[in-house]
Amino acid sequence: MTGTLVLAGTPIGDMADAPPRLAEELAGADVVAAEDTRRLRRLTQALGVRTSGRVVSYFEGNESARTPELVEALQNGARVLLVTDAGMPSVSDPGYRLVAAAVERDIRVTAVPGPSAVLTALALSGLPVDRFCFEGFLPRKAGERLGRLREAADERRTLVYFEAPHRLDDTLAAMAEVFGGDRRAAVCRELTKTYEEVRRGPLAELAAWAAEGVRGEITVVVEGAPEAEQGATDPAELVRRVRVREEAGERRKEAIAAVAAEAGLPKREVFDAVVAAKNAAR
């Protein structure tokens, strides 16, 4: 019989948040695959538990090479526990490749639910949480980052991003440029830790604050585009939305058709606005 792959959520800060089942799984797993074995050691010491199985590293740099080895162990009946440094495996962390490989081979996959920086930040942000979109980390290069943000410029759902502290000021400035400086947002820093902080305000204000330097692990929550933006029929706004779609890779004809459908307008009206803007720029 094949084994079981267990995805285990780990604390995002306070070790007291560890789910009770985590200790049981750590003690009983045949193989523990950890993003950082040193952090795993600190986790087991905090929980007062010893791992009885084999411990291997499983991080971004060796994920592709290590996956076949773990799949083989699963096919031989092992119970493999996957843990990352914080939060749930696969969510902006190693794990997706192993899960996909296990599912492809009909190996059972289950989870030990645990703390989530995404849901914690959403709940603390004060922004709408009925519908949201998780975007993970933005690209490091400025041009690619702007392109990704432009793709989300008209997204109505609340947006959630992870970001490194040394890039936070540039990211917030780019968000203010693309989404508008008055768009509401929340920067959630060091969640559940001693110096936890949630800074709320317009993007422009948050960008100015972050320019002074911010430390810690960061989750950014941004308000979705207001309904008025979605139905805007101003020619300049129509042209902007076509441009956003083009920069995201759509052909102009497709972008014009999509914007016309969103705005409830004839395609010809959007086309004329694009042509007029092109002529005015000459």
Side-chain angles (χ1 to χ4, degrees), residues 23-31 49-53 79:
E24 298 174 15
E25 292 289 351
L26 285 166
D30 299 302
V31 181
V49 63
R50 284 190 177 184
T51 55
S52 58
R79 189 172 186 86

Side-chain angles (χ1 to χ4, degrees), residues 138-150:
L138 287 166
R140 296 182 181 184
K141 295 183 179 179
E144 294 176 4
R145 182 168 58 232
L146 281 172
R148 182 76 63 80
L149 290 173
R150 284 170 180 149

Side-chain angles (χ1 to χ4, degrees), residues 145 163-176 187 203-204 206-214 218 220:
R145 182 168 58 232
E163 191 50 281
H166 62 278
R167 291 195 296 268
L168 181 62
D169 55 343
D170 289 337
T171 292
L172 290 173
M175 287 178 171
V187 176
L203 281 168
L206 291 173
W209 163 74
E212 299 177 3
V214 179
I218 307 291
V220 180

Side-chain angles (χ1 to χ4, degrees), residues 31 61 66 109 121 138 143 167 178-179 214 238:
V31 181
R66 183 76 78 185
V109 182
L138 287 166
R167 291 195 296 268
V178 176
F179 299 153
V214 179
L238 295 174

Side-chain angles (χ1 to χ4, degrees), residues 22 30 56 66 72 77 94 127 132 134 153 178 219 221 231 254 256 260:
L22 178 57
D30 299 302
V56 299
R66 183 76 78 185
E72 182 180 359
L127 298 172
F132 68 91
F134 176 58
V178 176
T219 304
V221 186
E254 296 169 345
I256 288 174

Side-chain angles (χ1 to χ4, degrees), residues 24-176:
E24 298 174 15
E25 292 289 351
L26 285 166
D30 299 302
V31 181
V32 179
E35 184 177 9
D36 186 327
T37 55
R38 292 167 300 181
R39 290 203 182 194
L40 172 65
R41 193 176 304 114
R42 289 197 291 270
L43 175 64
T44 55
Q45 288 174 348
L47 299 180
V49 63
R50 284 190 177 184
T51 55
S52 58
R54 181 165 59 97
V55 174
V56 299
S57 63
Y58 190 76
F59 58 96
E60 185 178 1
N62 73 352
E63 191 173 359
S64 295
R66 183 76 78 185
T67 294
E69 174 189 328
L70 295 176
V71 168
E72 182 180 359
L74 287 163
Q75 290 177 317
N76 290 332
R79 189 172 186 86
V80 176
L81 179 69
L82 178 60
V83 294
T84 56
D85 291 347
M88 203 69 191
S90 294
V91 182
S92 285
D93 273 328
Y96 167 75
R97 287 185 178 88
L98 182 55
V99 173
V103 169
E104 184 180 346
R105 292 162 179 77
D106 292 323
I107 296 170
R108 181 171 179 260
V109 182
T110 188
V112 177
S116 164
V118 175
L119 296 181
T120 303
L122 270 169
L124 296 177
S125 70
L127 298 172
V129 297
D130 53 334
R131 298 175 67 224
F132 68 91
C133 181
F134 176 58
E135 290 289 310
F137 284 96
L138 287 166
R140 296 182 181 184
K141 295 183 179 179
E144 294 176 4
R145 182 168 58 232
L146 281 172
R148 182 76 63 80
L149 290 173
R150 284 170 180 149
E151 291 176 12
D154 293 327
E155 175 59 64
R156 295 279 301 280
R157 293 170 293 181
T158 298
L159 298 158
V160 185
Y161 297 89
F162 286 160
E163 191 50 281
H166 62 278
R167 291 195 296 268
L168 181 62
D169 55 343
D170 289 337
T171 292
L172 290 173
M175 287 178 171

Side-chain angles (χ1 to χ4, degrees), residues 235-281:
E237 172 63 11
L238 295 174
V239 171
R240 184 192 71 80
R241 289 162 64 180
V242 170
R243 185 175 66 251
V244 166
R245 286 181 171 274
E246 284 186 295
E247 290 174 348
E250 286 189 21
R251 293 185 300 174
R252 177 164 295 182
K253 182 178 180 181
E254 296 169 345
I256 288 174
V259 171
E262 290 172 355
L265 296 171
K267 286 186 285 185
R268 185 71 195 184
E269 188 169 336
V270 180
F271 175 79
D272 289 344
V274 172
V275 172
K278 184 178 180 180
N279 291 335

